[in-house]
Amino acid sequence: EVQLQASGGGLVQAGESLRLSCTANGFTFDDYAIGWFRQAPGKEREAVSCISNSDGTTYYADAVKGRFTISTDTAKNTVHLHMTSLEPEDTAVYYCAADPLQTIKYSTTWYFSSSYYWGQGTQVTVSS
């Protein structure tokens, strides 16, 4: 069974940093791209970042480029999202997702798909 566990959310002030983690179990880690969507109240779901665990290809939404960094700890089957210079606009529930098709290896963007596996969301709140 594919299982994803998200953690690391919290309450910070603008300009501070957080690190989100997504730990995967129940599947071959290198066969998936793993990343993050977020959804704020009243706003559409947004793809934030993703990394292919087979070749390291990454995707970043324009809104987070230069501020967020995604990385993989293969020994722990974990993907981290290092978020710096956080802004109130980053406030959202962040959801870890595993993409069995590794879409970002073949596309410049990453979109929602019903084929993804999902973890429980972790709340990120950034105060001004």
Side-chain angles (χ1 to χ4, degrees):
E1 179 182 358
V2 175
Q3 295 181 327
L4 302 171
Q5 181 63 53
S7 62
L11 173 64
V12 297
Q13 296 187 97
E16 295 183 344
S17 301
L18 283 173
R19 186 181 74 168
L20 305 184
S21 298
C22 177
T23 298
N25 292 285
F27 60 94
T28 303
F29 194 65
D30 287 350
D31 289 345
Y32 289 75
I34 297 179
W36 300 87
F37 282 78
R38 67 185 181 186
Q39 188 161 25
K43 297 183 179 180
E44 296 181 350
R45 177 172 44 208
E46 176 187 20
V48 178
S49 185
C50 187
I51 186 167
S52 168
N53 292 321
S54 63
D55 66 3
T57 301
T58 58
Y59 163 81
Y60 295 97
D62 289 344
V64 306
K65 286 180 179 177
R67 299 189 298 118
F68 292 10
T69 302
I70 193 165
S71 62
T72 299
D73 184 344
T74 56
K76 297 182 178 180
N77 288 344
T78 298
V79 170
H80 301 290
L81 185 66
H82 303 260
M83 307 186 296
T84 64
S85 300
L86 284 163
E87 304 168 351
E89 292 75 18
D90 297 314
T91 296
V93 178
Y94 285 69
Y95 297 92
C96 180
D99 176 3
L101 299 180
Q102 303 201 56
T103 303
I104 60 170
K105 293 179 64 175
Y106 313 104
S107 175
T108 58
T109 58
W110 193 47
Y111 299 98
F112 169 83
S113 172
S114 61
S115 69
Y116 296 171
Y117 297 95
W118 296 91
Q120 187 173 358
T122 185
Q123 176 72 48
V124 172
T125 303
V126 184
S127 62
S128 60

